[in-house]
Amino acid sequence: MIKRRPADLIAAIRHVPGRADWSRVALELCWALPLMLLFAHAGGLVRLEGAPDPITLAGLAATLLIVPALGEELLFRALLIPRERPRLRWLIVSVALFVLWHPLQALTIGPPWAGAFLDPWFLAAVAVLGAALAHIYAATRSIWPCVVVHWLVVLVWKAFLGGPF
């Protein structure tokens, strides 16, 4: 199984999602986004803010596309979840490691993320996002829907909902 992971990674990158894949993404977001917003709101982690200036927004968007979206999705979805026959245990491992990764970042990188990344409400929202992304990956067998969703969630939080950057 482990020997297949590099091949799975390449296949997940090469697989272009179709219309049915994007429909699955929309279905996952119907339950995940409201739940993430509920947890973030309960923890005081969101507040409406004006958009940053266009140059800052473009730089933030470009940075977030690479790290965390692409980097974390390659690691936590494409490398951890078997592409051909994803089993529930691998989805659970993927979500658990994804959640644990965030406090590790807070403890090693520190501010400006430390406070949020150690907050239990934030970690609950991360668990929901991780579960949705694991389901999306298992259903689509492509990394790209996961990258797009992860990127948009973090971008909206940081650029418009008061997330630290």
Side-chain angles (χ1 to χ4, degrees), residues 9 64-81 94 97-99 101-102 105 109 117 122 126 129-130 133 143 146-147 150-151 154:
L9 176 68
L64 294 175
L65 182 60
I66 305 303
V67 179
L70 181 61
E72 290 181 3
E73 292 313 310
L74 288 171
L75 175 62
F76 295 109
R77 257 52 77 186
L79 282 175
L80 283 177
I81 300 171
S94 168
L97 291 176
F98 183 62
V99 171
W101 168 243
H102 288 81
Q105 287 182 78
I109 297 171
F117 280 26
F122 174 81
V126 167
L129 177 61
L133 293 170
I143 200 64
C146 298
V147 170
H150 193 157
W151 175 65
V154 177

Side-chain angles (χ1 to χ4, degrees), residues 123-136:
L123 296 175
V126 167
V128 170
L129 177 61
L133 293 170
H135 287 146
I136 289 168

Side-chain angles (χ1 to χ4, degrees), residues 105-120:
Q105 287 182 78
L107 298 172
T108 57
I109 297 171
W113 305 285
F117 280 26
L118 294 171
D119 187 295

Side-chain angles (χ1 to χ4, degrees), residues 45-64:
L45 299 167
V46 293
R47 64 186 178 284
L48 285 178
E49 291 190 351
D53 66 87
I55 300 297
T56 302
L57 182 59
L60 181 63
T63 301
L64 294 175

